[in-house]
Amino acid sequence: MQRSHLSLIRVGGMGSGTARCFCSESKPCKRSRVQFDEAEYSGEKACLFDCLPDDIVLSILCYLSASADCPSDLVSVMKTCKRMNRLGKNPLVLEKATLKSISIRVENWSPPAHKFLKRCVRAGNVEACYLLGMIECYCLGLRGDGCHTHTRKGLSYLLRASRRGHAAATYSLAVIFFNGTGMGKSQENLSTGFSLCQRATQLGYVDAMRELGHCLQDGYGVAKDVPRGRRLLLDANTRELAVSRSSRPVASAAALPGEGSSRSEYCYLHSDFGCDVPAPEVHPANRFMAEWFQTRQNLGESVRLCANANCSRPETRRFEFRVCSMCALACYCSRACQAVHWKTVHSAACTAAIAARRVRIFNNALARFE
Ligand SMILES: [Zn+2]
Ligand SMILES: [Zn+2]
Ligand SMILES: [Zn+2]
Ligand SMILES: [Zn+2]
């Protein structure tokens, strides 16, 4: 006899294993901790879900996965009993899982977590394709042992997401081809990167617009076309401002250019570096990379990351990334990241770094005379 327990209430943290059964309210479950142990279940009263046929429970689980907002929502259900585990793994459920419900943190990364994401990818979940693609390409692929299985897998996942219209995945592929990540730089890769960037621009991805705008302005990977480049940068700024305005309450939204701000004579929309808007929330894929390499760096490995904190892509070979030409300290995966980072952080830090270096050179010169 199979017994199942469904927890539709949120439990703290993934893997904490506390799922309370709320399905039979007149006779609440005595045990709050549920495990797979068969013997553990014997003698307990069956709950209401046991009377429901699989397809009904499945549709409830689909609803749950489509609205879940943390990984423990799904995982705790799958941990309740064998039946829920079987139904929770159904491709119909995994295909609908939200980005938040599959956004596993580095501290929870484990072979089962990897397997779970692979299952979501197989079920056709586009967000999972992007997330696992980035993890395979940048985190697991970067082992330096000459084994590119993870990189290849990651690329195929990103490609799958891109084919289904995922803008961020398309842009990520563009960055990979621009930098020749795992394949080396070539003119062929550069033009592939350029057409991918164009595709991501058509999908309305701000970073891609900015990257393409700078490429056209500088004639990088494509014939120089300054007016078209300027127009794309303007488009990127406009879209960024619109997104920031629609996603935040009016009171905290950035002032429109010329809207009573002290620098009203300056129009952000024409800036090379984007509008003066608060940085968007970091995407789970980027957060994963940042945390992953933070842990590695604590262990003494040195990997150079893109200085843009909203990106944190790592270099996969030495001198892969572009470096700030003024201070030669900050490095970037792309022009888009450099532009955004200059606007938000680096313009001040760079001047300070240059000033510090001048002082150092001056002091060294003085010391030689003494
Ligand atoms: Zn139950
Ligand atoms: Zn129960
Ligand atoms: Zn600099
Ligand atoms: Zn970057």
Side-chain angles (χ1 to χ4, degrees):
M1 186 170 60
Q2 243 182 357
R3 291 172 199 283
S4 52
H5 306 271
L6 179 64
S7 142
L8 288 169
I9 52 157
R10 201 144 301 135
V11 292
M14 190 178 146
S16 63
T18 34
R20 240 172 269 275
C21 183
F22 273 56
C23 22
S24 55
E25 291 191 338
S26 57
K27 290 214 164 167
C29 194
K30 282 189 209 100
R31 194 173 49 240
S32 65
R33 200 176 164 80
V34 196
Q35 283 149 2
F36 281 130
D37 200 344
E38 275 279 77
E40 280 256 75
Y41 287 93
S42 56
E44 205 208 319
K45 273 186 100 76
C47 47
L48 285 175
F49 276 95
D50 292 348
C51 321
L52 294 173
D54 276 4
D55 53 349
I56 304 244
V57 178
L58 209 54
S59 63
I60 296 172
L61 289 181
C62 284
Y63 178 79
L64 174 75
S65 73
S67 58
D69 60 6
C70 65
S72 60
D73 285 4
L74 267 186
V75 172
S76 59
V77 168
M78 286 166 75
K79 280 168 76 176
T80 46
C81 62
K82 282 187 172 168
R83 184 183 180 219
M84 284 301 165
N85 188 266
R86 178 171 55 82
L87 294 176
K89 280 185 200 157
N90 190 297
L92 286 172
V93 176
L94 297 180
E95 195 231 16
K96 291 180 184 63
T98 55
L99 173 63
K100 280 184 176 164
S101 71
I102 56 165
S103 300
I104 293 159
R105 303 293 290 253
V106 169
E107 70 217 46
N108 296 321
W109 184 253
S110 59
H114 194 173
K115 207 167 161 188
F116 171 73
L117 275 184
K118 274 191 203 160
R119 238 184 248 282
C120 294
V121 166
R122 272 203 300 277
N125 187 311
V126 186
E127 291 297 349
C129 289
Y130 175 59
L131 184 62
L132 189 57
M134 293 295 277
I135 293 174
E136 295 269 8
C137 259
Y138 284 111
C139 300
L140 306 178
L142 201 75
R143 290 266 163 80
D145 53 3
C147 164
H148 288 301
T149 325
H150 286 294
T151 316
R152 264 204 303 279
K153 258 192 215 160
L155 282 177
S156 78
Y157 296 156
L158 288 177
L159 205 60
R160 217 179 292 184
S162 169
R163 283 213 189 97
R164 293 187 47 194
H166 196 283
T170 311
Y171 175 65
S172 277
L173 281 172
V175 172
I176 285 168
F177 276 94
F178 273 142
N179 292 329
T181 302
M183 47 191 148
K185 272 192 184 180
S186 74
Q187 190 54 48
E188 199 190 345
N189 288 343
L190 214 59
S191 36
T192 309
F194 188 79
S195 45
L196 282 163
C197 207
Q198 224 155 6
R199 174 91 191 98
T201 298
Q202 284 160 3
L203 293 170
Y205 199 64
V206 171
D207 286 350
M209 291 177 171
R210 201 160 274 149
E211 182 69 16
L212 198 58
H214 282 286
C215 283
L216 285 164
Q217 267 200 145
D218 307 346
Y220 180 79
V222 66
K224 201 166 177 167
D225 186 346
V226 178
R228 211 180 133 214
R230 300 292 318 161
R231 207 157 50 235
L232 269 171
L233 291 177
L234 182 64
D235 281 355
N237 292 346
T238 314
R239 187 172 278 265
E240 188 178 50
L241 193 63
V243 168
S244 146
R245 292 221 133 202
S246 61
S247 64
R248 279 161 216 271
V250 182
S252 69
L256 265 180
E259 202 182 71
S261 91
S262 55
R263 291 187 282 171
S264 60
E265 69 283 359
Y266 181 68
C267 183
Y268 293 116
L269 290 182
H270 290 289
S271 157
D272 261 23
F273 310 112
C275 298
D276 201 3
V277 295
E281 206 184 322
V282 182
H283 189 279
N286 301 94
R287 187 181 60 193
F288 191 93
M289 288 192 288
E291 290 175 352
W292 179 272
F293 290 105
Q294 188 56 55
T295 337
R296 291 291 174 288
Q297 260 150 17
N298 292 345
L299 292 174
E301 268 178 51
S302 77
V303 182
R304 285 210 302 181
L305 302 187
C306 176
N308 178 12
N310 277 32
C311 169
S312 303
R313 281 178 175 78
E315 274 191 327
T316 57
R317 58 169 195 275
R318 270 166 73 78
F319 310 119
E320 176 182 343
F321 286 174
R322 42 193 300 109
V323 182
C324 172
S325 57
M326 310 247 283
C327 65
L329 289 175
C331 73
Y332 302 99
C333 72
S334 59
R335 280 146 216 269
C337 277
Q338 186 170 17
V340 168
H341 194 241
W342 179 263
K343 174 196 74 181
T344 51
V345 184
H346 194 59
S347 54
C350 191
T351 335
I354 292 170
R357 192 167 56 196
R358 287 215 183 102
V359 169
R360 210 166 48 240
I361 292 170
F362 182 70
N363 285 342
N364 285 349
L366 268 187
R368 242 178 287 150
F369 282 113
E370 276 167 8

